[in-house]
Amino acid sequence: MKNQKKTKQPLTIDQKIKRRNFLSLGVFALGSAAAYKGWRWLSTSAEELTGVTGGAQVPLRRALNKTELFFRNFFSRNHLVKTYPKSMAVKNVRQNSDIGLESDIVMAEWKMEVKRSNGELMHITIDQIKALPKTEIVYDFKCVEGWDQIQYWGGLKMLDFIEHFGLAEETKTQYMGLMTPDKEYQVGLDMDSAIHPQTILAYEMNGQPIPLNHGAPLRLIIPVKYGIKNLKRIGYMTFSNTRPPDYWAREGYDYYSGL
Amino acid sequence: MKQIKEKHSVLMRWTHWVNFPLLTIMIWSGLLIYWANDVYSITLFGHTYVKFFPDWFYEALDIPAHLAKGMAYHFLFMWFFALNGLIYVIYTVVSGSWRELLPQRKSFKEAWQVLLHDLHIRKMLPPQNKYNAAQRIAYTAIIVMGFGSLSTGLAIYKPVQFATITWLCGGYHLARIIHFVLTIGYVFFFLIHITQVILAGWKNFWSVISGFEVIRSNKPMEIVPTANPKNDEKPKED
């Protein structure tokens, strides 16, 4: 009976203050606990099993892949990378890594093996590539580490390569895969980026044949990607609808790595 | 007689407290990324005054050699950071509380007086409503900074697809520098903010959690309705 009487009375100021303080404290404490729990869950989440990708925690890899899908909506092959006059290109081109270049190679015997959709293998020599019209580009090469350099490359435009060697059917797949001759370094490229008009199979740097440490005799220059996708010394080219192996994607980096 | 004075809306409190851990994670993951190309310093006439960052700093926070991890965290939490900021800005515009926040013409002169007061040089504070002139400038600046971080971030994240944004930010290099400087700015904001919050006292701090302050007055009124932002131009004495 007493209680009933109490509830019917309007709350006093002190009761209101007490109530709201209690509620606020409760919500704040719960929110903080949830945030802490969430952070614990994320920061201690298991690393993904190494497959095509690796090295990242499972939820973070999922987020990278979702974010890729979102930003691919903004990709257009008409979005061209800014180019510069040759005079602005650096003379000392930075070299960051030797992975895939450490095996011995007999330059004269080098051929690029292209695997067609029907399984047929093509072996293309550097002379065949050099015989085709050369395309040059001077652009700002960007490394995933954060540095960039204006560099001058020359070679065969990927689109010309596709056309000349009759690979149009192959480019209907979703991915192009490239590997060094020793298969130690690999990159996987979404087809839109691979056949971007500024993607080049390069054999010249600063107007000279590419030095060994920069990927002689033939390397990839793909300005719409970070440097990690610009594979040196191409040995193999494949086409597929699933993601090809990719060296840095297995080390925790974003598979897409597009600019 | 005690009175409840409504001070901060629920949405303002939520976004404020959500932003705190988000920004912390963004700064931390940003450091992991910056480390991979840590070229910035304050150098004048060949003498380096501050190197960003000294080794002891990196070691203390376990920064080195976590670039991939930093990118993975940065590119996940950027969504929440942007979303939280967007919700706050939309709310501020729609609710009309921007009127209490945007600096007014007199704010810049008054902010100076507030500064002198806080440094114990001037005795009197200029009359103020919810936020004083210095707060108006600071809380508006921090939103502009957030917008700056998002734009310069986008400019260095997708400099080809969003080339226009990169160009508007002054190019790839300048965008990265602005992105970095803004981050340093947040740290300074945080330090000043914390100092001011401590000086303002517990009641002021608690109101950002509870939403109200208890004031004592002789008037027998129970609840003071939320200040009508339109009346903001005519400050009343409390």
Side-chain angles (χ1 to χ4, degrees):
Chain A
M1 287 295 125
K2 247 185 182 175
N3 279 345
Q4 252 183 1
K5 235 181 184 177
K6 233 181 184 175
T7 48
K8 271 180 186 169
Q9 269 173 359
L11 293 169
T12 65
I13 286 285
D14 277 324
Q15 280 174 317
K16 278 184 183 167
I17 291 170
K18 232 180 176 174
R19 236 170 226 221
R20 285 183 61 177
N21 276 339
F22 181 74
L23 200 70
S24 310
L25 179 66
V27 172
F28 190 73
L30 275 176
S32 305
Y36 176 75
K37 274 277 193 190
W39 177 251
R40 285 281 297 169
W41 169 78
L42 182 62
S43 58
T44 60
S45 59
E47 202 172 276
E48 62 185 319
L49 296 173
T50 304
V52 173
T53 61
Q57 291 161 271
V58 174
L60 292 175
R61 175 62 70 188
R62 204 178 305 144
L64 282 175
N65 289 338
K66 293 276 182 219
T67 302
E68 165 185 341
L69 291 182
F70 177 80
F71 279 101
R72 275 172 85 159
N73 293 323
F74 299 92
F75 180 91
S76 163
R77 274 188 263 153
N78 298 324
H79 291 163
L80 296 184
V81 171
K82 189 182 169 190
T83 55
Y84 297 83
K86 280 178 197 170
S87 59
M88 285 180 74
V90 292
K91 294 286 166 280
N92 289 319
V93 179
R94 184 161 166 177
Q95 188 228 348
N96 246 37
S97 149
D98 271 331
I99 306 158
L101 305 180
E102 287 156 323
S103 326
D104 292 331
I105 179 173
V106 183
M107 273 306 154
E109 290 172 12
W110 178 90
K111 280 184 181 110
M112 176 168 64
E113 182 184 293
V114 180
K115 190 175 185 184
R116 309 194 58 148
S117 298
N118 59 11
E120 181 195 326
L121 297 179
M122 298 164 70
H123 292 94
I124 299 168
T125 65
I126 194 72
D127 291 334
Q128 280 176 284
I129 286 171
K130 284 185 176 174
L132 297 165
K134 187 167 77 179
T135 298
E136 295 190 327
I137 186 166
V138 182
Y139 79 105
D140 193 33
F141 177 101
K142 294 178 179 70
C143 179
V144 71
E145 292 172 353
W147 56 267
D148 62 303
Q149 267 191 340
I150 296 179
Q151 299 177 352
Y152 166 28
W153 298 94
L156 177 60
K157 194 195 270 198
M158 184 68 87
L159 281 174
D160 294 346
F161 169 82
I162 298 293
E163 196 193 337
H164 181 83
F165 291 97
L167 295 164
E169 200 55 38
E170 278 70 15
T171 60
K172 286 176 185 162
T173 59
Q174 289 183 48
Y175 291 97
M176 175 188 284
L178 296 174
M179 277 193 284
T180 52
D182 62 6
K183 302 190 178 176
E184 288 292 320
Y185 197 90
Q186 327 85 24
V187 297
L189 308 161
D190 51 287
M191 196 54 72
D192 269 341
S193 300
I195 58 172
H196 182 275
Q198 289 170 310
T199 303
I200 286 174
L201 295 167
Y203 49 80
E204 279 183 7
M205 182 181 93
N206 282 336
Q208 301 291 322
I210 294 181
L212 268 179
N213 64 341
H214 281 290
L218 191 72
R219 70 168 296 173
L220 181 72
I221 286 297
I222 180 160
V224 294
K225 296 284 188 196
Y226 276 124
I228 47 174
K229 293 281 190 185
N230 290 244
L231 180 132
K232 296 166 183 168
R233 195 192 284 175
I234 304 171
Y236 300 91
M237 181 185 283
T238 56
F239 300 91
S240 60
N241 282 316
T242 51
R243 285 172 159 186
D246 187 282
Y247 185 89
W248 288 106
R250 281 197 311 280
E251 299 291 326
Y253 287 84
D254 179 27
Y255 192 93
Y256 187 62
S257 290
L259 293 167
Chain B
M1 183 84 195
K2 280 182 190 167
Q3 262 182 280
I4 290 178
K5 190 188 176 195
E6 301 296 341
K7 203 170 171 195
H8 300 295
S9 67
V10 171
L11 205 128
M12 176 272 173
R13 286 176 275 149
W14 267 102
T15 48
H16 173 269
W17 289 113
V18 166
N19 190 60
F20 173 59
L22 286 181
L23 188 55
T24 307
I25 293 169
M26 287 308 278
I27 292 175
W28 163 74
S29 54
L31 279 172
L32 299 184
I33 297 171
Y34 170 75
W35 171 87
N37 185 40
D38 59 342
V39 290
Y40 302 145
S41 67
I42 298 176
T43 301
L44 280 175
F45 307 112
H47 184 270
T48 299
Y49 293 89
V50 186
K51 181 187 180 292
F52 298 109
F53 291 92
D55 288 340
W56 64 263
F57 176 84
Y58 284 138
E59 297 303 330
L61 293 176
D62 189 26
I63 299 296
H66 289 124
L67 171 60
K69 181 179 168 184
M71 292 173 85
Y73 275 98
H74 212 64
F75 302 151
L76 169 56
F77 283 89
M78 66 180 185
W79 292 110
F80 304 120
F81 177 71
L83 195 67
N84 190 55
L86 188 72
I87 291 171
Y88 174 79
V89 169
I90 290 176
Y91 164 78
T92 306
V93 170
V94 172
S95 71
S97 54
W98 59 272
R99 291 190 184 88
E100 294 166 339
L101 272 163
L102 272 193
Q104 299 154 307
R105 198 173 294 172
K106 62 181 183 188
S107 295
F108 295 93
K109 189 185 145 206
E110 280 186 18
W112 178 245
Q113 294 169 344
V114 172
L115 179 72
L116 293 179
H117 171 267
D118 289 355
L119 296 173
H120 301 282
I121 296 169
R122 193 179 191 273
K123 276 240 167 74
M124 294 281 287
L125 260 180
Q128 60 188 60
N129 248 9
K130 185 172 174 182
Y131 297 122
N132 68 41
Q135 284 177 303
R136 279 175 182 264
I137 293 171
Y139 300 157
T140 300
I142 203 74
I143 296 306
V144 174
M145 285 167 71
F147 180 74
S149 286
L150 290 179
S151 343
T152 53
L154 215 47
I156 47 183
Y157 182 51
K158 300 288 171 196
V160 180
Q161 306 316 321
F162 300 133
T164 313
I165 297 176
T166 312
W167 179 77
L168 285 171
C169 292
Y172 191 68
H173 288 166
L174 192 59
R176 190 173 186 262
I177 291 171
I178 298 171
H179 200 70
F180 180 83
V181 170
L182 285 171
T183 309
I184 301 293
Y186 294 132
V187 176
F188 277 113
F189 179 95
F190 177 76
L191 294 176
I192 297 169
H193 189 55
I194 290 300
T195 310
Q196 296 283 37
V197 167
I198 291 170
L199 291 177
W202 174 257
K203 264 171 67 178
N204 174 72
F205 171 79
W206 182 252
S207 74
V208 184
I209 292 173
S210 71
F212 66 95
E213 262 186 41
V214 178
I215 53 170
R216 285 166 197 283
S217 88
N218 302 323
K219 283 172 261 170
M221 247 176 76
E222 261 207 342
I223 293 175
V224 179
T226 316
N228 185 349
K230 279 172 192 159
N231 295 334
D232 198 37
E233 299 294 322
K234 309 165 236 159
K236 284 176 229 153
E237 296 290 331
D238 271 333

